[in-house]
Amino acid sequence: MRGNASTSRALNRRLILNLLRNRGPISRAELALATGLSPAAVTFVVTELMDDALVIEREAMSSANGRRPIPVDINYEAHLALGFKLNRDNIACVLTDLATTPLATLEAEVAETTPEGMIHAIEHTIPRLLTEARRDEKDIMGIGVSIPGEVDPQKGLCLQSPRFGWRDLPFAEMLAERVHAPVWIDDDVNAFAIAQKLFGAGRNHRNFAALAIGTGIGCSLVLNGEIYHGSNSSAGKLGHITSIPGGALCECGRRGCLMAHAAEPAMLDEYQRRKGAPTSRTAFAAAVDSGDETALTIVGEAGARIGRHLADLVNLFDPEVIIVGGEAVQFGDALLTPLRSAMEEFLFFSRPELLTDWVPSSWARGAAALATQSIFDFERSPSG
Ligand SMILES: [Zn+2]
């Protein structure tokens, strides 16, 4: 009985918090109407959420005919989440409120991509982020870390990360021991999708795909409002679909993967090959910007290649929209126009809209959302 009572309490909390997240501040009476809970039950849950500083009363709008009911809202400012997006050379770090609004950001250099090296770098950024935002450590409700690779978020386990050479690593637990805060981990593209689902362009969609193009390529699927992880935490690995059999060597050790031919490093390699001289990523981006024909051709070819495979994904899963993010969106129409038209060419029936997420901090905010989503989803428990 106690188990059932606490489960239904948790469900009611989640119901009310998600309604407030979607609709913004509304009165207790409106909450009762929208949830189907009794006014007494709503009052009970709201009081409990106010005691936990998760909900706050906002100012009532005055009206001509007397008092208006007091709207309640999520207390976004009272709690903090930390997000860390692990890369090969650096960690994108962010401190956010519950709405994943960044309060402080920084980029930490990484000397080595060992778990120890990453944990060391993370530990040192936390006080710096708190100082910059002038906030207190006690308000941190959790830490999210996004990792390029296959991650089991339930067990807090990095199953593999070819980019870092990690395998079966209990990263969440290792970090939680050092930072003394709950830690959530997931694949970086799933983290990006969770941020889109909570407070981004995916907010009002039950089914959508979140495509990220950067060092790798991934396409996370949100099906019926939940991330689809697959049976081995390896769903959505669009970047490892074979695009050219026997083609270029991929970081996963196989040949011809889409990312080995169309992710940013592949574009840069191809540019250097055609120009016959070494180039930096910045110089390549500048070449795209200035309309350099070779650079535009390469970005266009990559876009078309991604678009063709994306069409297959749409034909299989029929998402309402596709949200595109990642570093490569800065190439803008040079990438997105060929991507869109190749996708259109190979679509069977449904024609989802392609939305672009231009926010540069989306990766790290996604990581922070791994922690904040625990408030909106009672099923997931952290390590630590
Ligand atoms: Zn691969």
Side-chain angles (χ1 to χ4, degrees):
M1 278 304 283
R2 184 176 296 167
N4 287 343
S6 72
T7 305
S8 80
R9 218 174 81 205
L11 274 169
N12 289 345
R13 281 169 70 104
R14 181 165 78 149
L15 193 63
I16 286 178
L17 285 170
N18 279 307
L19 203 73
L20 292 173
R21 175 173 63 82
N22 277 320
R23 303 252 299 253
I26 49 176
S27 71
R28 288 170 177 83
E30 286 170 297
L31 274 172
L33 210 62
T35 56
L37 297 171
S38 69
V42 167
T43 300
F44 178 80
V45 176
V46 167
T47 305
E48 202 182 65
L49 289 168
M50 284 176 69
D51 289 344
D52 293 345
L54 284 170
V55 159
I56 194 170
E57 287 182 338
R58 303 276 185 216
E59 207 159 309
M61 302 284 201
S62 58
S63 71
N65 53 358
R67 277 182 359 120
R68 296 283 304 264
I70 297 162
V72 294
D73 192 8
I74 294 172
N75 193 354
Y76 289 110
E77 307 82 16
H79 304 268
L80 303 173
L82 286 155
F84 299 95
K85 199 257 182 202
L86 309 188
N87 299 310
R88 206 180 343 234
D89 309 312
N90 60 60
I91 303 176
C93 316
V94 68
L95 179 74
T96 75
D97 65 9
L98 282 188
T100 65
T101 307
L103 305 174
T105 56
L106 65 86
E107 202 178 276
E109 294 296 310
V110 170
E112 43 178 349
T113 60
T114 58
E116 235 348 275
M118 291 290 188
I119 289 170
H120 184 79
I122 288 173
E123 265 187 299
H124 281 77
T125 60
I126 296 174
R128 288 171 60 198
L129 288 164
L130 286 167
T131 307
E132 193 188 321
R134 295 184 197 168
R135 294 294 299 256
D136 201 280
E137 193 177 355
K138 69 168 173 36
D139 295 332
I140 296 175
M141 50 78 52
I143 296 176
V145 181
S146 71
I147 303 172
E150 281 58 66
V151 176
D152 182 334
Q154 301 292 341
K155 293 185 180 145
L157 203 63
C158 174
L159 301 171
Q160 71 159 8
S161 173
R163 202 167 301 165
F164 301 154
W166 295 0
R167 192 167 266 280
D168 295 325
L169 188 77
F171 190 83
E173 199 183 308
M174 290 166 72
L175 179 61
E177 274 171 19
R178 295 272 286 276
V179 293
H180 309 294
V183 175
W184 287 265
I185 65 171
D186 207 336
D187 151 320
D188 51 7
V189 185
N190 286 344
F192 169 70
I194 288 167
Q196 295 299 327
K197 180 183 94 152
L198 288 177
F199 298 103
R203 191 177 187 150
N204 298 314
H205 297 284
R206 302 264 312 151
N207 294 293
F208 70 89
L211 170 70
I213 313 167
T215 309
I217 296 170
C219 193
S220 187
L221 293 163
V222 174
L223 305 177
N224 294 319
E226 300 283 338
I227 295 270
Y228 179 68
H229 281 94
S231 51
N232 294 290
S233 302
S234 67
K237 302 295 173 179
L238 189 74
H240 297 288
I241 279 179
T242 304
S243 187
I244 301 180
L249 187 65
C250 179
E251 68 174 20
C252 73
R254 297 159 68 245
R255 283 195 174 275
C257 291
L258 174 61
M259 70 163 275
H261 291 278
E264 255 192 30
M267 297 184 212
L268 186 60
D269 280 355
E270 185 60 19
Y271 185 72
Q272 295 180 134
R273 200 185 61 78
R274 293 193 200 177
K275 289 282 185 185
T279 318
S280 68
R281 194 218 168 260
T282 318
F284 177 63
V288 176
D289 254 359
S290 66
D292 176 296
E293 218 161 288
T294 312
L296 288 179
T297 306
I298 289 166
V299 171
E301 286 169 357
R305 187 172 290 284
I306 297 166
R308 177 159 72 80
H309 293 291
L310 194 60
D312 293 337
L313 183 131
V314 172
N315 294 340
L316 283 170
F317 292 100
D318 189 15
E320 290 158 26
V321 292
I322 299 166
I323 304 161
V324 192
E327 296 83 348
V329 295
Q330 77 165 111
F331 299 141
D333 287 342
L335 178 80
L336 297 172
T337 303
L339 191 154
R340 205 175 261 123
S341 52
M343 182 179 83
E344 293 279 336
E345 191 184 333
F346 292 98
L347 284 177
F348 165 63
F349 183 77
S350 93
R351 284 177 156 54
E353 196 183 347
L354 206 68
L355 308 171
T356 315
D357 175 74
W358 302 105
V359 184
S361 62
S362 278
W363 279 124
R365 291 175 66 199
L370 294 175
T372 56
Q373 77 147 348
S374 63
I375 285 176
F376 303 104
D377 180 2
F378 77 103
E379 285 169 286
R380 299 186 42 169
S381 51
S383 293

